Amino acid sequence: EAGVTQFPSHSVIEKGQTVTLRCDPISGHDNLYWYRRVMGKEIKFLLHFVKESKQDESGMPNNRFLAERTGGTYSTLKVQPAELEDSGVYFCASSHRLAGGPGETQYFGPGTRLLVL
Amino acid sequence: GQQLNQSPQSMFIQEGEDVSMNCTSSSIFNTWLWYKQDPGEGPVLLIALYKAGELTSNGRLTAQFGITRKDSFLNISASIPSDVGIYFCAGQWEYAGKSTFGDGTTLTVKP
């Protein structure tokens, strides 16, 4: 069974440009999460989808970030326009059990390393 | 926002030594999680703890959920070179999928 995949693995853009990150969760996983790790700090929660619905978007930094999950399968995270402080590693994770319930395991993708110059 | 204090920030140890790292929080969690991240990969779940006081082992790893529900520790016994990586603690509230992570502990094991 394929794991969580993310594309691209690396992205270098200039301030003001737009970048779209993609995440393909494990097949059949209803829960999809986006996290971000900036400058070697903690991994911070961005948002949580259950199927195609946004369950919790409390971690989204501002309205320059837009996440979608059309059809409840893959998800995209668009940053427009990108700022210097958006640099970091963006992780996607998926799970199939009740979110936050006993036994839920979130499987992480390898991340997209974004550098904004 | 909610923060977890994870320590130490980094560790340099000799192969065969035991390792201990911990996390503390200003508020309680219902679940404590420990992850390991290898270079170029995403975090992988090592141990999940669901009850205060719970002590759980996974091979050479042992983790405990603190009685106050505000802390947890992870021990690695008899370290080997493949233990190298970044270890993260994370806390969750019940039936809330989002996890709150610590800053990570970078472990280096010298053969």
Side-chain angles (χ1 to χ4, degrees):
Chain A
E1 180 183 83
V4 176
T5 58
Q6 292 186 245
F7 182 84
S9 59
H10 295 78
S11 180
V12 181
I13 61 172
E14 292 189 350
K15 176 182 171 181
Q17 289 186 323
T18 297
V19 63
T20 300
L21 313 181
R22 174 173 169 140
C23 168
D24 286 80
I26 293 172
S27 177
H29 282 193
D30 288 340
N31 295 304
L32 188 149
Y33 303 86
W34 284 99
Y35 293 90
R36 176 175 74 171
R37 189 179 193 217
V38 174
M39 291 291 290
K41 301 294 289 181
E42 77 270 29
I43 299 172
K44 276 195 170 180
F45 168 82
L46 297 178
L47 89 160
H48 169 207
F49 284 100
V50 178
K51 298 186 180 178
E52 68 275 8
S53 300
K54 292 177 184 174
Q55 181 75 16
D56 181 353
E57 50 184 330
S58 61
M60 294 289 264
N62 51 61
N63 59 11
R64 296 186 293 103
F65 288 74
L66 175 65
E68 294 180 322
R69 191 182 183 193
T70 307
T73 54
Y74 72 90
S75 175
T76 58
L77 180 65
K78 182 161 73 173
V79 185
Q80 179 181 31
E83 298 290 342
L84 301 180
E85 64 266 24
D86 300 332
S87 297
V89 182
Y90 290 76
F91 291 107
C92 174
S94 72
S95 72
H96 76 287
R97 290 207 178 186
L98 179 64
E104 185 210 12
T105 298
Q106 295 183 18
Y107 296 89
F108 281 74
T112 293
R113 283 142 186 83
L114 174 65
L115 179 60
V116 183
L117 301 174
Chain B
Q2 176 63 47
Q3 282 189 317
L4 294 187
N5 295 309
Q6 184 172 351
S7 65
Q9 188 175 40
S10 61
M11 301 184 75
F12 295 83
I13 62 169
Q14 206 71 36
E15 182 177 358
E17 290 183 351
D18 297 343
V19 171
S20 185
M21 57 192 80
N22 68 85
C23 263
T24 59
S25 169
S26 57
S27 61
I28 63 174
F29 287 110
N30 292 98
T31 300
W32 279 95
L33 307 165
W34 284 93
Y35 289 86
K36 182 192 178 198
Q37 183 187 5
D38 289 325
E41 302 292 329
V44 173
L45 183 66
L46 298 173
I47 292 180
L49 303 155
Y50 301 107
K51 290 170 55 175
E54 178 182 355
L55 184 71
T56 297
S57 293
N58 178 6
R60 293 178 297 106
L61 278 58
T62 301
Q64 183 158 31
F65 191 141
I67 289 292
T68 65
R69 296 167 65 192
K70 293 183 179 181
D71 64 305
S72 177
F73 72 74
L74 174 71
N75 287 340
I76 305 173
S77 63
S79 59
I80 59 178
S82 61
D83 290 334
V84 165
I86 305 176
Y87 291 80
F88 292 97
C89 64
Q92 282 185 326
W93 293 279
E94 192 170 30
Y95 300 116
K98 75 177 185 181
S99 296
T100 300
F101 283 81
D103 285 355
T105 296
T106 301
L107 178 64
T108 302
V109 180
K110 293 177 282 187

